[in-house]
Amino acid sequence: MKKNLVQKIIEKHLLEGNIISGEEIGIKIDQTLTQDATGTIAYLEFEAMGVKKIKTKLSVSYIDHNTLQTGFENADDHLYLQSIAEKYGLYFSPNGNGVCHQVHLERFSKPGETLIGSDSHTPTAGAIGMLAIGVGGLDVAYALATGRFYLNMPKVVNIKLSEKLNGWSSAKDIILELLRRLTVKGGVGKIFEYSGEGVKTVSVYERATITNMGAELGLTTSIFPSDEQTKKFLKLQNRENDFKEISADEHSEYDEIIEIDLSKIVPLVACPNSPDNVRNVKDIEGTKLDQVIIGSCTNSSLTDLLLVAKILKGKKVKVSTIISPGSKQIFINLLKLGALSDLVESGVRVLEPACGPCIGMGCAPVSGGVSLRTFNRNFKGRSGTDDAEIYISGPVVAAFSALTGKITEPSGKIPRMEVPKKIKIMDDLIIAPRKTDTNVVIFRGKNIVPIKKFNKVSELENVIVGEVVLKLKDNITTDDIIPAGAKILPLRSNIPAISEYVFSKIDSGFVARVHAVAKKSSGIIVAGENYGQGSSREHAALCPKYLGIKVIIAKSYARIHKSNLVNFGIMPLIFKDPTDYEKIDISDKLEIENVQSLPSQKTLTVKNIAKNFSFNVTCDLTERQLKLLLSGGLLNCL
Ligand code: MIC
Ligand code: SF4
């Protein structure tokens, strides 16, 4: 039988189940990655599993999110992570070495292998032909302990690229075009597999922009074949030995096909406050800017920044412009090639390689300010300024706009890009695993608060009585649930402390209300479509659980967040008839009946006691997930 690329990789890694879309499969995981903002909890969970040795071929712990060290919290967390890496035999990429996805692509990714990471943009490594999936930290901990990961086999969609990009259009415009067509929930339950003649014209760094931002479509992951472009990239990285050609069989089957003629792609911008609010640059040209930032795991590659340096060379930026290279390796090569001085002379500020402003760690715009960024997310408030307007574009549009202080359509002759044949390889900061060392003492600062297991949904709770503590609209992000930013991010290892910020940007009375309700019953949240879109942060499940939320009833869920809810024993119920959503209000008392019948029966009846009517909800989980849920979460099942 002819196979597509996804089927080939999954078949090689299949441990349980059948490769049929919608069915649960268990696959072997070759590599894992974590970053510091999700990593501390993930490794606390791993420690709670009591396993002596990691079961993956290669695992890396990155420090890239919480890098400001404004207090002891970050520094303590980093030392905890370093000592865990040393004890259990993981690679450790320290503060300053770069954003996990960029460094992983450059130094560790391998065609044909599997990777899960506790960050939603882990699919970046799909650029090199890896099956790379973003997950919650508990799933990474489980893979470290067992080598396994479970998922519902997604539909595989073939994105057929023809022709090649014209003029100033870039890889960012390809993924923005897909977002324009499909929206932020258009990819849920799907993997995008790229093919076609056009693929040959797209470099690995460009592919990485596309696979990275597939996360904004809600995709499980995106993947490119491993071909001549991959070979060239790995050669540049001095890793030719990791090259392996791998692609779909000719005429293999897909669940769906989407065709894109690259020659028709034009420069695009996502407008506030969603990555799918996409317009042609020319339609919003002239929008006045207060700030331009070029960086993040989406657009901070060597080729991106070399092109920006070419555009800015010999000119002066007209607005505050900030650049952060994706990795130390990119930084040093920009320096060696003279591009860094072109950037600095043009008036650009340079930050160290890290997530930085992308996660609200510095460079917040002025009140009501307008900022153009090459990032992947422009959710309200994520920049650190609640009323700022954030636009998203590729680096070329950002560079031209920096020179005018307004959103500007790129024009003029395209400079000849001299991408070097050889670059300086920079692994010096990465600490490679020695033999696992059982004598290593794990450092635990006072910011590290061990997590506790949760109670089972016991027989007594065959009926859950709860009160609606919040009613939310469609597309609620994990940033809405538990915001990031310089004040809150350093508390990631301290669940009691960070839980005080749950929904703080949406409803400042939420935490007090849940505390009051938790004294007598359970908190229930009601939401619209695509609840929990965005990041992989399991704090968006763990903290509500800690506060006493037992049930969410939504019209639909984002993939990673739904798994996180199950992992922490919160019921992700779905309105059988979405119009019932309209009939429920905050403070309504609900009674969910027959909860223990869930494994055999997937529909439950909910009584709205306050309004005296009943409605049905479904729980479309697999048997394994239902078992986890009723046991109070994955930690209770080990
Ligand atoms: C993000 O881009 O939102 C983050 C911060 O990288 C998150 C992870 C986190 O919240 O720590 C993600 O994308 O998963
Ligand atoms: Fe970091 Fe931003 Fe990428 Fe998240 S999206 S990993 S915060 S650079």
Side-chain angles (χ1 to χ4, degrees):
M1 197 188 111
K2 300 198 181 306
K3 294 186 191 101
N4 59 46
L5 177 52
V6 171
Q7 287 166 336
K8 282 187 186 179
I9 300 179
I10 290 189
E11 194 176 81
K12 264 203 115 177
H13 292 81
L14 192 68
L15 299 172
E16 284 174 49
N18 300 307
I19 309 176
I20 298 172
S21 73
E23 286 197 13
E24 186 172 75
I25 52 171
I27 57 169
K28 182 177 167 311
I29 293 302
D30 299 315
Q31 300 190 359
T32 63
L33 70 79
T34 53
Q35 41 87 344
D36 51 320
T38 54
T40 45
I41 292 292
Y43 294 111
L44 284 168
E45 288 157 352
F46 174 69
E47 286 189 281
M49 292 176 188
V51 175
K52 296 261 173 306
K53 265 186 81 179
I54 59 168
K55 302 284 190 313
T56 46
K57 285 199 221 168
L58 178 143
S59 288
V60 191
S61 173
Y62 291 93
I63 309 290
D64 55 0
H65 280 63
N66 254 318
T67 57
L68 281 186
Q69 296 171 333
T70 46
F72 66 91
E73 291 89 350
N74 298 169
D76 282 7
D77 285 1
H78 299 172
L79 205 50
Y80 167 74
L81 291 170
Q82 186 172 345
S83 60
I84 286 280
E86 204 180 338
K87 183 168 176 109
Y88 293 103
L90 287 85
Y91 283 85
F92 181 71
S93 175
N95 202 351
N97 194 49
V99 182
C100 56
H101 309 303
Q102 195 64 50
V103 179
H104 208 86
L105 180 73
E106 292 181 330
R107 309 308 308 147
F108 296 109
S109 57
K110 271 197 187 167
E113 293 208 343
T114 53
L115 162 74
I116 59 169
S118 60
D119 192 283
S120 63
H121 291 104
T122 303
T124 311
I128 210 167
M130 251 194 139
L131 191 80
I133 303 177
V135 300
L138 192 45
D139 284 328
V140 171
Y142 186 76
L144 286 168
T146 65
R148 272 166 199 259
F149 169 63
Y150 292 93
L151 76 160
N152 283 353
M153 179 64 203
K155 290 196 165 128
V156 185
V157 180
N158 183 204
I159 310 293
K160 249 188 164 155
L161 304 183
S162 60
E163 303 297 332
K164 62 178 194 316
L165 289 170
N166 260 335
W168 286 103
S169 302
S170 72
K172 185 65 156 270
D173 304 313
I174 303 175
I175 190 68
L176 288 176
E177 175 60 30
L178 281 165
L179 274 153
R180 161 150 73 182
R181 290 192 200 175
L182 306 171
T183 81
V184 287
K185 54 181 192 319
V188 177
K190 296 176 180 173
I191 295 180
F192 279 7
E193 180 177 316
Y194 289 81
S195 76
E197 282 301 301
V199 159
K200 295 183 186 154
T201 68
V202 184
S203 74
V204 167
Y205 274 138
E206 292 173 311
R207 293 175 184 186
T209 295
I210 298 169
T211 51
N212 173 284
M213 231 180 137
E216 278 47 69
L217 286 161
L219 290 166
T220 301
T221 190
S222 307
I223 190 165
F224 276 83
S226 171
D227 56 8
E228 281 306 308
Q229 290 280 5
T230 322
K231 195 173 184 176
K232 202 161 117 193
F233 176 81
L234 284 169
K235 189 154 183 265
L236 189 68
Q237 295 296 327
N238 208 7
R239 294 206 288 130
E240 288 107 313
N241 291 343
D242 288 338
F243 176 69
K244 179 178 153 195
E245 200 174 321
I246 167 162
S247 59
D249 292 332
E250 235 183 289
H251 308 301
S252 51
E253 286 186 8
Y254 293 91
D255 292 292
E256 203 184 314
I257 297 177
I258 295 177
E259 309 216 9
I260 295 194
D261 177 346
L262 295 181
S263 66
K264 302 239 162 72
I265 297 284
V266 295
L268 297 170
V269 172
C271 301
N273 294 315
S274 180
D276 61 1
N277 187 14
V278 175
R279 311 261 313 263
N280 288 4
V281 174
K282 86 171 169 338
D283 294 342
I284 52 161
E285 205 172 18
T287 305
K288 217 177 138 305
L289 298 170
D290 297 291
Q291 182 189 58
V292 171
I293 312 187
I294 300 170
S296 92
C297 56
T298 320
N299 277 118
S300 58
S301 68
L302 184 59
T303 44
D304 278 344
L305 298 187
L306 285 175
L307 184 55
V308 169
K310 281 260 177 197
I311 296 167
L312 299 188
K313 188 180 164 103
K315 306 188 178 99
K316 288 276 178 234
V317 295
K318 287 241 170 50
V319 67
S320 170
T321 303
I322 298 151
I323 284 186
S324 72
S327 67
K328 190 83 160 192
Q329 181 173 286
I330 293 167
F331 203 169
I332 193 96
N333 283 293
L334 288 174
L335 194 73
K336 285 188 171 296
L337 294 164
L340 200 61
S341 56
D342 294 337
L343 290 169
V344 175
E345 278 171 29
S346 75
V348 158
R349 286 174 62 193
V350 183
L351 303 182
E352 74 171 344
C355 297
C358 180
I359 192 57
M361 297 299 272
C363 304
V366 63
S367 290
V370 183
S371 178
L372 176 66
R373 300 168 166 211
T374 66
F375 304 171
N376 43 39
R377 292 183 174 145
N378 58 346
F379 303 141
K380 190 171 178 305
R382 185 175 158 99
S383 64
T385 305
D386 288 346
D387 61 359
E389 304 214 312
I390 310 297
Y391 290 79
I392 295 176
S393 75
V396 167
V397 174
F400 274 92
S401 304
L403 289 172
T404 59
K406 297 177 210 146
I407 292 184
T408 302
E409 169 108 12
S411 59
K413 205 165 150 252
I414 300 174
R416 218 171 79 82
M417 278 282 293
E418 289 126 30
V419 181
K421 293 262 172 323
K422 208 166 163 48
I423 56 170
K424 178 164 172 51
I425 301 302
M426 180 83 197
D427 279 340
D428 320 24
L429 292 183
I430 298 176
I431 303 176
R434 285 175 294 166
K435 254 191 17 228
T436 50
D437 189 347
T438 43
N439 292 324
V440 173
V441 178
I442 304 291
F443 174 85
R444 292 174 211 280
K446 56 179 185 295
N447 193 41
I448 310 236
V449 178
I451 41 165
K452 47 173 206 158
K453 297 188 179 178
F454 293 110
N455 294 339
K456 290 186 182 188
V457 178
S458 70
E459 281 75 48
L460 286 178
E461 284 178 291
N462 194 28
V463 176
I464 295 179
V465 182
E467 182 172 327
V468 178
V469 284
L470 195 62
K471 185 172 177 186
L472 300 157
K473 54 186 176 39
D474 291 348
N475 293 322
I476 288 296
T477 70
T478 52
D479 282 292
D480 293 325
I481 305 172
I482 185 80
K487 249 209 306 207
I488 307 177
L489 210 54
L491 301 175
R492 282 285 182 95
S493 317
N494 185 338
I495 300 303
I498 199 170
S499 293
E500 292 300 311
Y501 293 92
V502 174
F503 287 115
S504 53
K505 299 240 163 146
I506 288 193
D507 180 344
S508 54
F510 175 80
V511 172
R513 194 158 61 245
V514 181
H515 280 316
V517 167
K519 286 188 190 135
K520 38 189 176 43
S521 69
S522 310
I524 297 178
I525 291 172
V526 170
E529 302 277 3
N530 202 25
Y531 178 70
Q533 69 153 330
S535 86
S536 71
R537 69 189 70 144
E538 56 190 357
H539 298 73
L542 181 49
C543 300
K545 175 77 182 188
Y546 175 83
L547 293 175
I549 300 297
K550 275 211 181 128
V551 178
I552 316 276
I553 309 178
K555 291 185 190 169
S556 67
Y557 294 86
R559 175 189 61 90
I560 309 180
H561 188 59
K562 188 171 170 193
S563 302
N564 287 341
L565 290 172
V566 174
N567 280 349
F568 290 101
I570 297 185
M571 287 190 159
L573 301 176
I574 299 171
F575 286 103
K576 196 156 186 179
D577 175 357
T579 61
D580 285 329
Y581 166 90
E582 305 297 340
K583 301 181 198 153
I584 303 174
D585 290 304
I586 192 158
S587 299
D588 281 0
K589 305 244 176 337
L590 305 183
E591 211 173 88
I592 306 169
E593 298 170 337
N594 251 336
V595 175
Q596 298 297 330
S597 73
L598 265 182
S600 54
Q601 195 180 309
K602 299 221 162 165
T603 301
L604 297 176
T605 303
V606 184
K607 256 196 218 154
N608 188 329
I609 303 169
K611 300 212 165 77
N612 196 22
F613 73 93
S614 293
F615 60 97
N616 287 331
V617 290
T618 55
C619 191
D620 67 342
L621 302 178
T622 64
E623 237 170 81
R624 185 191 61 85
Q625 288 176 311
L626 281 169
K627 198 172 138 226
L628 296 192
L629 187 67
L630 296 176
S631 310
L634 178 56
L635 276 180
N636 288 1
C637 283
L638 296 159

